[in-house]
């Protein structure tokens, strides 16, 4: 078990495929499924770790939200003192990703392995998950939150950026937050014509 934990620490995608179950709301008969071994998901994850910032234009059923919310849980468990931030359209959406994705991933983990017991009262918080054993945490924030400023972000997941308000403010505060060598962010959204996100996609291409 210890050897497996060491393997998973350095290989997030292997951990996802072997340990993580996701909820597929579109499947009423078998909604709980093992994380899929789709090659493109591994390629997205590899690209994320090879760059400071990635811009990802997603489509329905692409599992981009699943991928990055699951990565947040991996970092919470395996990377001490990591600051993992989810920023979404508003407070309810950000908390929804944390509750429906991140906490569900943790609850389905095989507890025969030595995972941290996250039972320090934090389960009552709707905006944060904390690992009391290594100082790592996941925080859910609404777009344009003052809390985004002054943060050093280990992993930032900006969900549905094209539909967020204060995108310019978010991007401005993101730059100093990513100054550390191990800090990175994923800017993810479905397309929206005329948005700042669309401008970012066009610049990448």
């Amino acid at each position: 078990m210890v050897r497996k934990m060491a393997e998973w620490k350095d290989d997030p995608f292997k951990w996802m495929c072997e340990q993580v179950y996701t909820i597929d709301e579109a499947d009423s008969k078998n909604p709980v499924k093992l994380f899929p071994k789709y090659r493109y998901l591994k390629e997205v994850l590899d690209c994320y770790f090879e760059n400071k910032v990635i811009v990802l234009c997603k489509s329905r059923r692409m599992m981009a939200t699943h991928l990055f919310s699951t990565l947040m849980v991996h970092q919470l468990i395996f990377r001490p003192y990591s600051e993992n931030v989810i920023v979404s359209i508003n407070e309810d959406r950000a908390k929804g990703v944390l509750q429906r994705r991140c906490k569900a991933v943790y609850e389905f983990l095989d507890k025969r392995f030595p995972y941290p017991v996250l039972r320090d009262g934090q389960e009552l918080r709707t905006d944060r998950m904390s690992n009391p054993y290594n100082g790592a945490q996941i925080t859910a924030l609404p777009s344009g939150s003052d809390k985004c400023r002054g943060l050093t972000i280990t992993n930032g997941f900006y969900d549905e950026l094209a539909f967020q308000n204060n995108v310019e403010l978010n991007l401005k505060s993101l730059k100093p937050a990513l100054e550390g060598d191990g800090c990175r962010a994923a800017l993810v959204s479905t397309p929206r014509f005329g948005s700042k996100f669309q401008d970012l996609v066009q610049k990448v291409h």
Side-chain angles (χ1 to χ4, degrees):
M1 286 187 176
V2 174
R3 185 177 68 181
K4 266 295 184 184
M5 294 292 282
E7 289 179 11
W8 292 331
K9 178 181 179 180
D10 297 326
D11 193 340
F13 192 70
K14 182 179 178 67
W15 173 76
M16 292 177 188
C17 294
E18 294 182 357
Q19 281 285 285
V20 171
Y21 285 83
T22 62
I23 299 174
D24 182 359
E25 294 89 348
D27 189 340
S28 60
K29 294 183 178 179
N30 184 30
V32 180
K33 301 175 180 178
L34 194 62
F35 195 91
K37 299 179 181 180
Y38 295 152
R39 179 178 175 179
Y40 77 87
L41 291 175
K42 185 180 188 307
E43 290 174 348
V44 169
L45 203 57
D46 289 343
C47 182
Y48 174 75
F49 280 107
E50 290 168 1
N51 294 275
K52 180 67 73 173
V53 178
I54 67 168
V55 179
L56 181 62
C57 192
K58 69 176 183 177
S59 61
R60 181 172 172 79
R61 308 289 292 173
M62 184 178 173
M63 294 194 66
T65 300
H66 281 76
L67 178 66
F68 285 104
S69 56
T70 301
L71 176 62
M72 295 292 179
V73 179
H74 175 275
Q75 298 289 278
L76 178 75
I77 294 169
F78 292 105
R79 182 163 183 179
Y81 304 107
S82 58
E83 290 286 347
N84 308 288
V85 177
I86 298 168
V87 180
S88 195
I89 298 170
N90 53 44
E91 188 173 16
D92 287 342
R93 286 289 294 265
K95 289 179 179 179
V97 174
L98 187 73
Q99 292 289 325
R100 293 192 304 273
R101 303 298 185 202
C102 298
K103 290 192 176 183
V105 165
Y106 173 78
E107 291 301 327
F108 284 125
L109 290 175
D110 186 348
K111 299 306 191 299
R112 291 174 296 179
F113 287 88
Y115 288 113
V117 179
L118 308 183
R119 290 290 182 272
D120 61 346
Q122 63 83 36
E123 66 270 23
L124 300 178
R125 294 287 299 271
T126 59
D127 64 344
R128 184 175 302 157
M129 289 178 70
S130 301
N131 185 338
Y133 301 97
N134 69 4
Q137 63 181 5
I138 306 172
T139 304
L141 296 174
S143 176
S145 170
D146 289 339
K147 295 178 182 178
C148 291
R149 292 193 285 272
L151 282 177
T152 297
I153 297 173
T154 310
N155 297 282
F157 171 37
Y158 288 70
D159 184 43
E160 295 294 6
L161 186 67
F163 300 88
Q164 293 186 21
N165 296 321
N166 307 307
V167 173
E168 293 279 4
L169 180 61
N170 285 341
L171 297 178
K172 185 177 180 180
S173 64
L174 180 60
K175 186 175 180 180
L178 297 175
E179 288 182 348
D181 291 339
C183 303
R184 52 185 53 86
L187 311 181
V188 181
S189 186
T190 47
R192 184 186 183 192
F193 182 75
S195 66
K196 181 65 177 177
F197 178 78
Q198 192 71 21
D199 293 342
L200 291 172
V201 172
Q202 291 175 347
K203 286 180 181 179
V204 170
H205 287 288

